[in-house]
Amino acid sequence: MGKKNLMNMMNRNLLVVALIGAVGLMASCKKDKSATTGWNYNDKKWGGYELHKYKEQETGPNLVYIPGGAFTMGLMEQDVTYDGDAIPRKVTINDFYMDETEVPNNAYIEYLYWLHRVYTDLPQVYNQALPDTLVWRDKLAYNEPFVKYYFRHPAYQFYPVVGVSWTQATNYSQWRTDRVNEQIMVREGYFKPNPQQTNSDNFNVDAYMAGQYEGLVKKQKKDLGPNGGNRKIQLQDGIMLPDYRLPTEAEWEYAAMALQGEAKFENVNDRKTYPWVGLSMRVNEGKYIGKMRANFKRGRGDYQGISELPNDGGYITTPVHSYWPNDFGLYCMAGNVSEWVMDVYRPLTSEDALDFNTFRGNVFTKMKKNADGYIAEKDSLGRIPYEPVTDDESATRRNYRTSDNIGAKDEMTYNGGEQGYDFGNSTLVNNKARVYKGGSWNDRAFWNAPGARRFLDQDQAMSTLGFRCAMIRVGGRKWEKDKKR
C-alpha cells in the first residue's frame, strides 16, 4: 500500500473516531444518567426528573461580589465610649454580595412611586414607607431647606436616603427582591412587562412559586413529567436571585475592612483601623496626598473645612459615589451616613455568638397553611403570610429550641421575653434595638472604625443614618478566569 493511500486511510479512521465521539458526547449531554439509579435525567420516558445545567449565580443590580473568609471582628481602636460591646474575636463569613453604594434618594423614590402606582386601594402602604424628612430639624439650627428639598429635589437624587427606619429599610429590601426577579423573568422571556398590576395582583416571588400569581405569561418551561404540558419556573431552575436584605453586622464589618490583597501565607500583614491601610484620615501618597478619604466631622464646628480649601467637601451628605472605594470596590464604608444592619443589639453578642456567619436576630418562620394543609391565600399586598415555628415543631431539635432566638443562650425570659432587660427603666435595649454601623457626616473619626457599633429603635430614623442591601452567595466561591482553583 502506498504512502498516500495509507495517509488517506488514517485520516478517514480519525474522522470516524471523531464523529463517533461527537455523537456520543451529544447523546450524553442530551440524556445524562443518574449515578445512583442509572435512570436518565431530563427524559420523559424515565419519569422526567430534571438535572439543570447551572454555572453560577449572576450578580444582581448594583451588587459587588465579596469573597468571604476569616477576620478579626470587633473594635481595633481604643474603646473611647467604654461600652465593651465590641470585643475582638475571629469569625468566618460566607461569600456574599453587597451594594456598591448606599441606597440613594432616587432609588427610594422609585420604590415609593411603585407603591403609589400599584397599591391604589391601600394608600397607607405608601404613607408608611415615606422617609421622615423632619429628621433634619433642630430647635437651634436652620435646616428647613433640607426638610423641604433634600429627599425630592433632583440636586440630591444621588445622595444617600436618610430618615428611613430599620423597618422601612427591610421592607424596601423585600420589594427590591421581587422587582429584580420580575425583571429577570421578563428578560428571560417568561413574562411580558405588566405595568397594570394593582393591589394584590403584583409579582411576588413566594406567591408566584405557590401558584398564586400568573402575570402576563409569554412562555413557560416544558414539563418533562409523565403528564407533559408546561410548568412555571421553580426554585430548582436557578433563574431567580436570592433575597435582597440588610447585611448582618458581621458581613458589614467584614466588607468595610476589605482585607483584600494584603495577605501572605494566610496572614494579614497590615492591621486596619479604618476601611483603608494606615491611621490617617487623609490620603498619604500619590497625586491625592492630603485629601480626606471620607465625609465626617473633623472637629467642633468643622464639617467640611474652610470655603477656600475644604477638607472633605461635605457639610452634610455627599453623593454615594464620593471619595475612593475600598479594596472590595465599596464606596463610603466610612463616613457620609451610618448604615442599618440586620442584627438585634446586645452588648455581649461577641461573647456567645457563633463564629461562622455571626448574627443575632433569628425568628424562625414558615409559610402559613390553612386547615386543609395548603399554603394560605396571599394577603392584600400580594404576599404569602408567614407564621412563627411552634415550640412543638422545634422541641426535638438540637440546634434550636424556640422560634425566637434573639436572646441569650440560656433562654431566660423576663419582662415579656426581653431576656432580662429592664427596658425603659435601666436600659434602652430590647428586641427592637437594632445595630447600625459606620460613621456619618456628623460623627468624629472614631466612628469610622468598622468595629464600632451603636443601636437605635427599629422604628426610629435620623438624618445621619441610611442603609445598603446585601445578598447571600449560593454555591461555591466565584473564581475569576485567571485564577487557579
Side-chain angles (χ1 to χ4, degrees):
M1 181 181 294
K3 183 176 181 181
K4 184 175 182 180
N5 291 335
L6 180 61
M7 291 295 295
N8 288 338
M9 183 180 294
M10 291 175 63
N11 290 336
R12 283 196 298 270
N13 290 340
L14 289 173
L15 179 60
V16 170
V17 170
L19 288 172
I20 292 174
V23 171
L25 180 61
M26 292 173 63
S28 65
C29 291
K30 185 177 181 181
K31 294 182 180 179
D32 291 326
K33 291 182 181 292
S34 167
T36 304
T37 64
W39 284 37
N40 288 345
Y41 293 136
N42 308 321
D43 190 341
K44 186 174 182 180
K45 295 179 181 179
W46 287 83
Y49 177 76
E50 298 183 39
L51 178 67
H52 298 282
K53 304 292 185 182
Y54 185 77
K55 186 178 180 181
E56 66 176 11
Q57 180 178 340
E58 71 170 282
T59 303
N62 200 51
L63 295 180
V64 173
Y65 171 66
I66 310 295
F71 82 112
T72 300
M73 182 179 180
L75 198 58
M76 296 295 181
E77 177 65 285
Q78 180 184 358
D79 186 4
V80 298
T81 62
Y82 294 98
D83 286 329
D85 63 350
I87 300 171
R89 72 278 188 198
K90 180 167 281 190
V91 302
T92 291
I93 303 301
N94 190 81
D95 294 11
F96 65 104
Y97 296 84
M98 196 164 186
D99 268 336
E100 181 180 61
T101 66
E102 299 141 341
V103 172
N105 283 323
N106 73 309
Y108 200 85
I109 291 173
E110 179 185 357
Y111 164 56
L112 292 175
Y113 176 84
W114 188 94
L115 296 179
H116 189 267
R117 177 175 64 82
V118 172
Y119 293 126
T120 53
D121 295 339
L122 299 165
Q124 66 272 23
V125 177
Y126 170 82
N127 292 332
Q128 290 169 359
L130 288 170
D132 181 7
T133 58
L134 299 184
V135 294
W136 289 105
R137 279 187 173 165
D138 192 290
K139 61 184 179 181
L140 293 177
Y142 180 64
N143 288 336
E144 292 305 298
F146 300 135
V147 174
K148 183 175 182 179
Y149 297 112
Y150 180 82
F151 179 57
R152 294 197 181 272
H153 197 282
Y156 294 108
Q157 61 184 321
F158 296 114
Y159 285 59
V161 65
V162 297
V164 174
S165 69
W166 181 94
T167 302
Q168 290 174 318
T170 299
N171 290 338
Y172 169 90
S173 303
Q174 295 171 347
W175 167 86
R176 187 174 172 187
T177 298
D178 294 329
R179 300 289 70 75
V180 168
N181 281 310
E182 183 179 18
Q183 178 270 331
I184 291 174
M185 293 288 283
V186 172
R187 183 194 71 192
E188 297 299 315
Y190 296 105
F191 282 167
K192 298 176 184 177
N194 182 13
Q196 304 304 320
Q197 300 175 60
T198 55
N199 300 315
S200 64
D201 182 30
N202 68 81
F203 177 81
N204 171 268
V205 173
D206 287 343
Y208 173 80
M209 295 288 190
Q212 298 188 30
Y213 176 81
E214 293 297 326
L216 295 181
V217 178
K218 188 174 182 180
K219 71 175 182 180
Q220 290 185 311
K221 281 275 190 181
K222 185 177 180 181
D223 192 342
L224 298 178
N227 297 326
N230 297 317
R231 64 169 178 82
K232 291 185 172 184
I233 298 301
Q234 301 171 343
L235 182 63
Q236 299 93 301
D237 294 313
I239 291 175
M240 296 192 195
L241 289 176
D243 293 344
Y244 281 82
R245 55 174 172 77
L246 293 178
T248 66
E249 180 179 7
E251 286 174 336
W252 192 97
E253 192 170 326
Y254 177 84
M257 291 292 287
L259 301 175
Q260 187 83 338
E262 298 158 21
K264 186 175 183 181
F265 305 120
E266 294 193 80
N267 293 317
V268 177
N269 296 329
D270 294 311
R271 171 176 147 174
K272 283 184 175 179
T273 300
Y274 305 110
W276 51 82
V277 175
L279 300 177
S280 173
M281 300 300 297
R282 297 178 182 271
V283 178
N284 54 16
E285 61 184 2
K287 66 178 180 178
Y288 296 110
I289 189 169
K291 298 291 185 182
M292 285 291 185
R293 292 180 177 270
N295 175 19
F296 68 105
K297 183 178 179 180
R298 189 168 66 166
R300 183 183 296 274
D302 185 356
Y303 290 83
Q304 71 159 2
I306 63 175
S307 174
E308 184 178 353
L309 191 64
N311 46 52
D312 62 43
Y315 47 87
I316 55 168
T317 60
T318 55
V320 294
H321 278 103
S322 298
Y323 312 103
W324 296 269
N326 69 7
D327 289 336
F328 279 145
L330 305 175
Y331 287 84
C332 295
M333 295 301 286
N336 215 23
V337 291
S338 303
E339 300 177 19
W340 286 114
V341 296
M342 275 209 302
D343 295 57
V344 166
Y345 176 81
R346 290 290 186 272
L348 295 180
T349 292
S350 58
E351 293 290 304
D352 60 7
L354 194 67
D355 60 0
F356 174 65
N357 287 343
T358 301
F359 172 68
R360 166 159 271 144
N362 281 314
V363 177
F364 297 132
T365 60
K366 60 181 180 179
M367 284 188 181
K368 189 173 183 179
K369 294 186 178 180
N370 57 29
D372 296 325
Y374 295 103
I375 294 175
E377 291 295 318
K378 60 184 180 181
D379 61 19
S380 59
L381 301 182
R383 299 170 183 171
I384 301 295
Y386 278 74
E387 61 183 359
V389 174
T390 66
D391 290 345
D392 288 341
E393 291 171 325
S394 60
T396 59
R397 302 209 61 89
R398 298 184 62 184
N399 51 337
Y400 65 92
R401 290 289 184 270
T402 63
S403 172
D404 183 345
N405 291 273
I406 291 174
K409 278 186 174 180
D410 60 8
E411 298 175 4
M412 293 191 307
T413 56
Y414 304 97
N415 303 325
E418 296 297 352
Q419 274 79 27
Y421 287 88
D422 191 12
F423 177 71
N425 294 316
S426 61
T427 181
L428 294 176
V429 177
N430 67 355
N431 288 351
K432 291 186 176 181
R434 299 287 175 170
V435 178
Y436 67 93
K437 302 283 282 183
S440 76
W441 59 271
N442 196 24
D443 284 319
R444 301 293 184 95
F446 166 78
W447 295 107
N448 290 326
R453 60 200 304 252
R454 290 174 281 185
F455 67 93
L456 185 70
D457 186 282
Q458 66 185 31
D459 294 318
Q460 294 182 346
M462 298 189 295
S463 63
T464 57
L465 182 55
F467 70 101
R468 72 180 78 207
C469 296
M471 178 188 292
I472 191 66
R473 164 77 180 184
V474 293
R477 170 165 291 227
K478 180 177 180 180
W479 292 87
E480 297 176 7
K481 292 181 178 179
D482 59 343
K483 288 185 177 179
K484 296 181 180 179
R485 297 190 178 221

